[in-house]
Amino acid sequence: MPYNTQQIKRDQQNSPIPQYFNPTTDVYEALLGRNGANRVELYGPDGNPIGTTNGKLNVRASEIETLLAGGLPAALTAGGGLKVGVVDALPAGANIVGQVKLTDGTDGLLINTNGSLNVVPVNSAGTELFTAGNPGNVQLTGSIESITSAPAVGVKTVTATAAEIFAEASAKANRRRLILKNEDPILRFRIGPSTVTQQNGFPVEPGAVIEIQFDPVTAVPIYAISEGANLSVAVMEI
Amino acid sequence: MTHTVTTIENNIALLCVDFSDEGVNLQGEIRIPGGEEKALQYLPFFEIDLRNNYSYLFPVSEIIEGGTET
């Protein structure tokens, strides 16, 4: 029914109250409000009410429109991404961060081709270490110079037939050093790889001591051969 | 003592010895260039070295002292 067929609302003094006509219910209803203002529903230029999402108006402010229309490109990266300042901690996950500067210095952190961080060690004064002018002090632990197990000792007979040389019943596992002492007062013996001969091996003079250092994780057999008669060699493996 | 010889890479023989048949828990192995023939040539020396270096593992035969009757 049209509004002019309905009775308007009145107060106790029979005066009209602020009201509006509700076409859905076909009656006048009192206007509600708060803080001295009426409740208002916003309508867009298309005549439809502006909706809300989670209690917020679905409105793009003019400032945002301005940014989107031309203000943002100056802040975009070459790839079209937004340049942003990271304030909060990055969430866990595969975040890819490009060049990072820890301070306002001119040099950014460098990433190696294998993905590791390129780190230049410096001392407390900021001077780069391990250079020719500032070599720095280093203490190694667990190096192959250290003994980690009991040494193996024994005496081996070296003959004119080349044979592997070691201290005990077989070469010491993960040995770091092989020490040989020629106990013969006259004869030399020679050491080398499996192709060692009485001519091409490295000579060990009578009474001489030779030390060979190894990478403990790589087993390398050493062979010995006498230049003449059989002789005894004292052997220690560390 | 028992022994085996097997050829491994590059004409290198692996000579393995075992003294278990003598009641001694001792095994050894050594690489010998030149193949099985060379390994067998070196076998006596390898055996003697092991017996000397591990003499504490092998039983000592008692020497019976005695004299001649007059």
Side-chain angles (χ1 to χ4, degrees):
Chain A
M1 299 178 69
Y3 68 93
N4 54 4
T5 62
Q6 298 298 322
Q7 186 71 37
I8 64 173
K9 302 285 185 185
R10 294 179 182 276
D11 61 11
Q12 287 183 333
Q13 285 75 39
N14 202 29
S15 297
I17 65 169
Q19 58 194 278
Y20 75 101
F21 182 73
N22 186 337
T24 304
T25 58
D26 279 340
V27 294
Y28 285 94
E29 296 177 352
L31 278 177
L32 302 177
R34 190 178 64 172
N35 298 330
N38 292 331
R39 289 182 180 178
V40 176
E41 185 173 24
L42 296 178
Y43 280 74
D46 58 356
N48 294 317
I50 297 173
T52 60
T53 302
N54 296 329
K56 299 177 182 178
L57 284 173
N58 297 336
V59 174
R60 283 183 171 177
S62 59
E63 291 83 357
I64 297 175
E65 295 283 2
T66 301
L67 288 172
L68 293 176
L72 284 177
L76 293 179
T77 66
L82 278 175
K83 289 182 178 177
V84 295
V86 178
V87 177
D88 296 329
L90 291 172
N95 300 292
I96 298 175
V97 180
Q99 192 179 58
V100 176
K101 293 179 181 178
L102 294 180
T103 66
D104 289 335
T106 56
D107 296 327
L109 295 177
L110 298 178
I111 306 299
N112 299 317
T113 53
N114 64 359
S116 62
L117 196 62
N118 190 333
V119 177
V120 177
V122 298
N123 60 18
S124 58
T127 305
E128 183 177 347
L129 291 172
F130 309 123
T131 63
N134 191 21
N137 297 322
V138 176
Q139 181 177 8
L140 296 177
T141 60
S143 75
I144 60 174
E145 296 291 331
S146 307
I147 294 178
T148 58
S149 63
V153 294
V155 175
K156 279 288 186 288
T157 302
V158 175
T159 72
T161 298
E164 186 181 5
I165 190 163
F166 44 76
E168 297 185 332
S170 59
K172 179 177 171 63
N174 306 115
R175 67 182 174 184
R176 296 158 183 248
R177 192 174 297 178
L178 173 66
I179 304 169
L180 307 174
K181 182 179 188 298
N182 185 351
E183 296 197 313
D184 194 275
I186 300 172
L187 295 174
R188 299 196 307 188
F189 71 97
R190 291 176 179 261
I191 59 172
S194 62
T195 54
V196 66
T197 68
Q198 292 171 320
Q199 288 75 40
N200 67 9
F202 184 82
V204 181
E205 300 291 335
V209 175
I210 187 170
E211 291 187 22
I212 304 172
Q213 195 164 301
F214 294 88
D215 179 351
V217 299
T218 305
V220 180
I222 300 295
Y223 297 87
I225 185 171
S226 169
E227 286 190 348
N230 302 342
L231 56 88
S232 293
V233 175
V235 185
M236 181 163 68
E237 291 174 287
I238 296 173
Chain B
M1 183 204 72
T2 59
H3 71 274
T4 60
V5 179
T6 53
T7 301
I8 53 179
E9 24 72 77
N10 296 333
N11 198 31
I12 296 175
L14 183 65
L15 171 62
C16 299
V17 297
D18 190 343
F19 294 88
S20 299
D21 61 328
E22 301 178 26
V24 175
N25 182 22
L26 175 62
Q27 297 79 36
E29 64 176 38
I30 186 170
R31 291 173 170 80
I32 308 292
E36 183 175 354
E37 182 183 354
K38 294 287 186 182
L40 293 176
Q41 285 180 11
Y42 190 74
L43 174 59
F45 303 102
F46 189 44
E47 177 188 357
I48 291 172
D49 285 343
L50 288 176
R51 289 186 186 276
N52 289 334
N53 289 325
Y54 291 92
S55 58
Y56 56 90
L57 294 179
F58 291 89
V60 179
S61 56
E62 295 183 4
I63 300 174
I64 301 173
E65 294 183 359
T68 57
E69 292 182 358
T70 58

